[in-house]
Amino acid sequence: MEHVIEEKATSLTFSDVVKGRLGGKTMTLCYQCGTCASSCPVAKITPRFNPREIIKLSLLGEKDEVISGDAIWLCCSCYNCQERCPQKVEIADVIYALRNIALKEGYIPNIYSEFASALLNDGRIVKVSRFVENKRPTIGLPPLQPTGVDALRKILSATGFDKLQQKKEGVS
Amino acid sequence: MSDLRYMFFLGCTIPYRVLSYEISARKVFAKLGIELVEMSDFNCCGLPVDPASHEMMIALAARNLCLAEQQELDIITLCTGCAVTLRKVNKVLKEDKELRNRINEYLKEVDMEFKGTVETKHFIHAFKEDLGFDKIKESIKKPLAGLKVAEHCGCHLLRPTTVTGWDDPEDPAVLKGLIELTGADCLDYMDEPECCGYTIIAIDDKVAMQLTREKLQHVKMAGAQALITVCPSCHLMYDMQQARIERFFNEKFELPVLHFPQLLGLAMGFRPDELALKDLRVNPSKILEAIKTT
């Protein structure tokens, strides 16, 4: 009995955490009809991704399974599910919220970590290329403007993101 | 602010990796009377880091919006992801006062404040609402009659409709209508509004390539001679990755993939070299021959 109560308490907490995040607030409207899964181009290809399942596990409070697995990273953010959901659950945005939680707990695929590093270095996610910069004027394109990276660093520092990034780098 | 003067938000990918898109768009915009103001000092729109931190995404987008607000100009983009992100953040910051106050605290660090006074439009959206189809029709000098193509809008041109809302996400018509103004036929095909797969290529390239492969199959099945895109990410999947997909699945497509400004530019009478058609990975010479003989 105690176990059940404990589980219930956990589930409430995780659901509330997701609901409290931007994009996460509609999650509890889900009644598990599966319109999302049948609209999902990724779910058609691989059984490793099923948006209905991700929402179900999140509602049940299975935080570890949700944030440590690779499923949440396989959403292609096409928003088909979100457009078609009869309950107006913002599914793709809920998945973004889950990814943000995963990052806080130290789970993040390398690519996002690379994006974040590039941002902190250059202000853009594609590595600034001297070769292309030199080429642009020769093919009639204006030179690239400065990235404003100093200003950006100040903002990233204010949002606390630079610390998260350092934490991740420390972990890996 | 509909005098066809915009801040030009290039985003991260186009100015380094998809120059053919930028070259052709600049040529076509100039001919149509669209004036581009270079956006000094822009940073990443924010979308690529949304999975890592929603708050950082909003702060990044807000800074870009502030740059345009300072110039009192609306933003035009070539990338569907940049457009949807800047629009989404503009909307959410206008609606959520608490969030706006928090983001403005960050922006204070760089002497900026979000006010919510500018709009962002992908150029297809701007063509529809600001320029108008008639202007484009008037610009056509060499109609591409007989050419059969298919369109791929890309997810973020259409969805989420709470942010886009100017075309039908299940049966998109705007890009199709624009293509038909060039004289080319724009064919329907199976699963037309589906995703190109780009967003997950670094997570699982096989799943991503399968998404792209199915789209290429459907486009070929419909009998299209070329696929037309309006997003650098979609173009990277269909054009740059096409040879790799062919090798991986042992299947031939040889389907040229043109940026819409390249197709429109050809119909406006630009030469292929002016529109950087030689920069495409999949050789477009077959369709150029087809255009010549019509």
Side-chain angles (χ1 to χ4, degrees):
Chain A
M1 193 60 196
E2 252 181 46
H3 178 69
V4 173
I5 291 165
E6 197 184 299
E7 278 224 336
K8 207 173 173 189
T10 315
S11 74
L12 276 175
T13 311
F14 188 53
S15 222
D16 285 346
V17 168
V18 179
K19 270 186 83 174
R21 287 193 160 260
L22 285 165
K25 63 179 183 297
T26 57
M27 183 175 76
T28 50
L29 297 171
C30 175
Y31 55 34
Q32 291 286 298
C33 68
T35 302
C36 52
S38 57
S39 300
C40 176
V42 178
K44 270 178 213 159
I45 293 173
T46 172
R48 285 156 49 219
F49 182 75
N50 181 326
R52 186 186 63 80
E53 196 71 17
I54 289 174
I55 303 286
K56 184 180 83 183
L57 290 170
S58 303
L59 288 169
L60 290 172
E62 299 291 347
K63 178 184 166 189
D64 292 343
E65 189 174 344
V66 173
I67 66 166
S68 68
D70 73 345
I72 51 171
W73 304 102
L74 279 168
C75 168
C76 68
S77 310
C78 73
Y79 288 89
N80 269 350
C81 55
Q82 194 154 321
E83 288 301 323
R84 294 175 189 169
C85 175
Q87 282 293 88
K88 298 201 180 346
V89 178
E90 293 168 348
I91 304 156
D93 292 329
V94 169
I95 291 174
Y96 273 117
L98 292 168
R99 289 168 170 178
N100 279 200
I101 295 169
L103 173 106
K104 273 207 146 169
E105 308 264 337
Y107 299 105
I108 183 167
N110 285 338
I111 183 70
Y112 293 113
S113 178
E114 283 165 21
F115 282 165
S117 295
L119 260 181
L120 289 166
N121 291 330
D122 295 323
R124 294 180 188 147
I125 57 142
V126 171
K127 204 170 162 40
V128 170
S129 153
R130 287 280 294 280
F131 173 76
V132 178
E133 274 178 8
N134 293 335
K135 184 180 164 190
R136 287 177 59 90
T138 69
I139 52 174
L141 293 176
L144 285 173
Q145 306 291 323
T147 59
V149 68
D150 290 338
L152 206 64
R153 282 201 187 118
K154 284 186 190 165
I155 293 174
L156 297 184
S157 163
T159 61
F161 186 82
D162 56 341
K163 286 194 193 69
L164 271 178
Q165 180 59 14
Q166 282 157 12
K167 196 172 133 194
K168 158 74 191 169
E169 279 165 1
V171 168
S172 62
Chain B
M1 281 192 272
S2 59
D3 58 352
L4 302 178
R5 192 160 180 264
Y6 303 91
M7 288 292 269
F8 192 29
F9 187 82
L10 274 171
C12 299
T13 309
I14 294 165
Y16 287 108
R17 296 184 63 196
V18 198
L19 296 170
S20 53
Y21 195 13
E22 183 183 345
I23 291 167
S24 54
R26 284 182 187 274
K27 289 265 162 58
V28 165
F29 289 180
K31 197 84 165 190
L32 291 168
I34 292 172
E35 189 190 337
L36 301 174
V37 176
E38 301 302 319
M39 191 165 187
S40 174
D41 214 24
F42 81 89
N43 54 258
C44 167
C45 72
L47 179 63
V49 294
D50 199 6
S53 167
H54 199 59
E55 187 101 345
M56 178 160 100
M57 179 279 278
I58 293 173
L60 290 174
R63 182 177 171 276
N64 288 321
L65 292 167
C66 288
L67 289 170
E69 287 179 3
Q70 286 170 353
Q71 304 287 322
E72 297 180 9
L73 284 173
D74 285 344
I75 296 171
I76 197 166
T77 79
L78 302 179
C79 174
T80 59
C82 296
V84 87
T85 304
L86 297 176
R87 288 178 68 82
K88 180 192 264 182
V89 169
N90 197 43
K91 182 170 184 278
V92 77
L93 289 179
K94 278 178 161 178
E95 287 169 359
D96 187 338
K97 203 176 164 197
E98 200 185 313
L99 179 68
R100 186 171 69 234
N101 290 340
R102 199 162 74 235
I103 297 295
N104 273 334
E105 280 300 310
Y106 305 146
L107 292 170
K108 221 187 245 174
E109 297 283 328
V110 290
D111 302 320
M112 281 178 163
E113 187 192 354
F114 172 84
K115 296 191 179 75
T117 52
V118 299
E119 282 298 318
T120 302
K121 285 177 180 164
H122 183 279
F123 80 95
I124 295 295
H125 185 186
F127 275 15
K128 176 184 184 251
E129 284 190 354
D130 302 347
L131 183 67
F133 277 36
D134 287 347
K135 272 271 172 57
I136 293 162
K137 212 171 173 180
E138 286 164 20
S139 76
I140 305 297
K141 301 281 178 282
K142 279 179 64 184
L144 311 174
L147 188 68
K148 291 181 170 40
V149 303
E151 60 82 31
H152 173 80
C153 286
C155 302
H156 297 140
L157 191 72
L158 305 171
R159 298 179 292 266
T161 45
T162 47
V163 179
T164 55
W166 49 273
D167 204 354
D168 181 347
E170 302 287 354
D171 188 15
V174 178
L175 178 56
K176 198 166 274 185
L178 286 167
I179 288 172
E180 285 181 342
L181 292 179
T182 69
D185 282 334
C186 190
L187 307 176
D188 295 331
Y189 64 96
M190 203 195 321
D191 294 337
E192 209 167 309
E194 294 288 35
C195 179
C196 70
Y198 179 82
T199 45
I200 53 168
I201 192 153
I203 304 292
D204 189 322
D205 58 349
K206 290 188 187 68
V207 173
M209 284 195 296
Q210 177 65 19
L211 285 170
T212 319
R213 176 200 190 190
E214 286 180 9
K215 292 281 299 195
L216 291 169
Q217 285 173 335
H218 297 160
V219 169
K220 288 289 277 193
M221 244 191 284
Q225 294 163 285
L227 179 62
I228 309 302
T229 63
V230 289
C231 173
S233 307
C234 304
H235 194 268
L236 284 171
M237 287 308 280
Y238 295 125
D239 182 57
M240 193 187 267
Q241 298 279 348
Q242 195 177 125
R244 184 178 165 213
I245 290 164
E246 288 181 334
R247 281 197 304 277
F248 188 80
F249 295 106
N250 194 21
E251 189 172 350
K252 277 275 168 228
F253 295 108
E254 293 172 343
L255 182 73
V257 187
L258 274 64
H259 308 289
F260 176 65
Q262 291 182 316
L263 185 83
L264 180 57
L266 288 170
M268 288 164 87
F270 284 105
R271 295 188 316 270
D273 62 305
E274 291 177 292
L275 302 164
L277 267 105
K278 65 174 182 359
D279 290 357
L280 298 175
R281 293 295 176 97
V282 180
N283 190 339
S285 58
K286 264 189 211 160
I287 64 157
L288 294 177
E289 283 303 315
I291 292 168
K292 247 188 229 164
T293 54
T294 56

